[in-house]
Amino acid sequence: PGVERSDETTSTSGRDGAVDEPRVPLRYFTHKSRAQLGADPGRSLLARVLERDGVFEPTRDVSRCRLFWGCAYPTGQLLANLPPDAFVNHFPGTTAITHKHTLAMMLRRHPEGDAVAPRTFVLPAEANSFAAFDDEAFDDDDDDDDANGIKRGAGWIVKRAVGGEGRDTVVTRTAREALERTRRADGGVDGRTDTWVAQRYVRDPLTLLGRKVDLRAYVLLTRWDPGDDDGARTRGYVHRDGLVRFAAAPWDPADVSSLAVHLTNNAAATARIHEGAGHTSDTSDTWDPDAHFKRNWSFETLASELDATLGAGSYERVWEGVRRCASAALGSLPRRGDWGAQGVPSGAEGAGDDGRGLRRFELLGLDLLVDSRLRVWLLEGNSS
């Protein structure tokens, strides 16, 4: 976030012999659960980044903060007590693209949606069309059958609509199997039926070092006005660097039983709880808060590898695909006229200027898959 002069102690010029005064740290307020920040919030990655070089210091008084960093847009007393001009790390209503089921429905309304995202069904609402599509695709794809006419290899990846870190994710061959797995998962919780998404599995992923990989691209959303029908007031920036994440087990397209072959997010690949939460050794000297990230490549390393093995310009094709996916994701944010339409979540009506001067922004993490032809696919969006 930007810094105004009034938030710092100004220093006099060294030319007149005066000694520069130290900068006064800005205060930040976090509103996240222990599961999100870890057993020791002060050692979380968020805290270490914000407090680096003394730029920010934590406060438990929301009325004194310069930056509000929460798991969602603040409401109620939190919103009422925020000081004017505070920076807030969410827009209201961006769950339209950070929840898997709503992203799938919003992408259907976008002209690039089918080109950037694998076919996705929302379950159980679309169970019948899901089964019918799978039957038709199975009949049309001779490569799916072995000698006995049985489908082989992964057909679908099924995930809870809300949640992360690969929890409860399954890989199945058929729609029938996917529907049975979701019914079984829901059956034991007071008869409640959760929402899931079934996404067509990209069967020819790019592999590096013999393992499936995906990309985490970071997008900074700095402006979104849902009242602007032509999208001219939506502005975002894709960071030139990101993460290349590796599956925990070598790639085997015929193995649908081992998630270690198919899941590439850091939590699943390292079998760790986020930031060490829940581990008995959280406060020991052996706990490494960076263990998630040490196995990843940077985009720069990916660029060197692709251009060296597949030819000059290979990474540029991937980068253009990353930008295309980011543009489609941000372009899928709802407009004012979308409220009440099927698939459009409520709560985003206040995303425009409310007159309070709050400085909203949002850091989004897009999970992308590159296939063997270097086509980039948008899998899901994540909020910070």
Side-chain angles (χ1 to χ4, degrees), residues 193-211:
T193 300
D194 288 340
T195 301
W196 300 74
V197 295
Q199 192 172 69
R200 195 164 193 190
Y201 196 90
V202 178
R203 296 186 180 182
D204 60 338
L206 176 70
T207 58
L208 299 169
L209 306 179
R211 295 168 190 260

Side-chain angles (χ1 to χ4, degrees), residues 240 314-326 376:
R240 273 284 179 182
S314 295
Y315 176 72
E316 192 59 32
R317 289 172 55 194
V318 171
W319 175 246
E320 287 305 312
V322 171
R323 289 172 52 85
R324 184 186 188 190
C325 288
V376 182

Side-chain angles (χ1 to χ4, degrees), residues 11 49 56 133 174 189-190 236 238 245 258 268 279 328-329 332 361 379:
S11 61
V49 169
F56 281 95
F133 177 88
T174 65
V189 189
D190 300 328
V238 184
R245 307 181 299 187
S258 174
H279 284 252
S332 297
F361 68 97
L379 303 182

Side-chain angles (χ1 to χ4, degrees), residues 351-364:
D353 183 12
D354 61 2
R356 298 192 59 214
L358 294 177
R359 301 181 180 186
R360 300 166 175 143
F361 68 97
E362 189 135 2
L363 181 61
L364 302 166

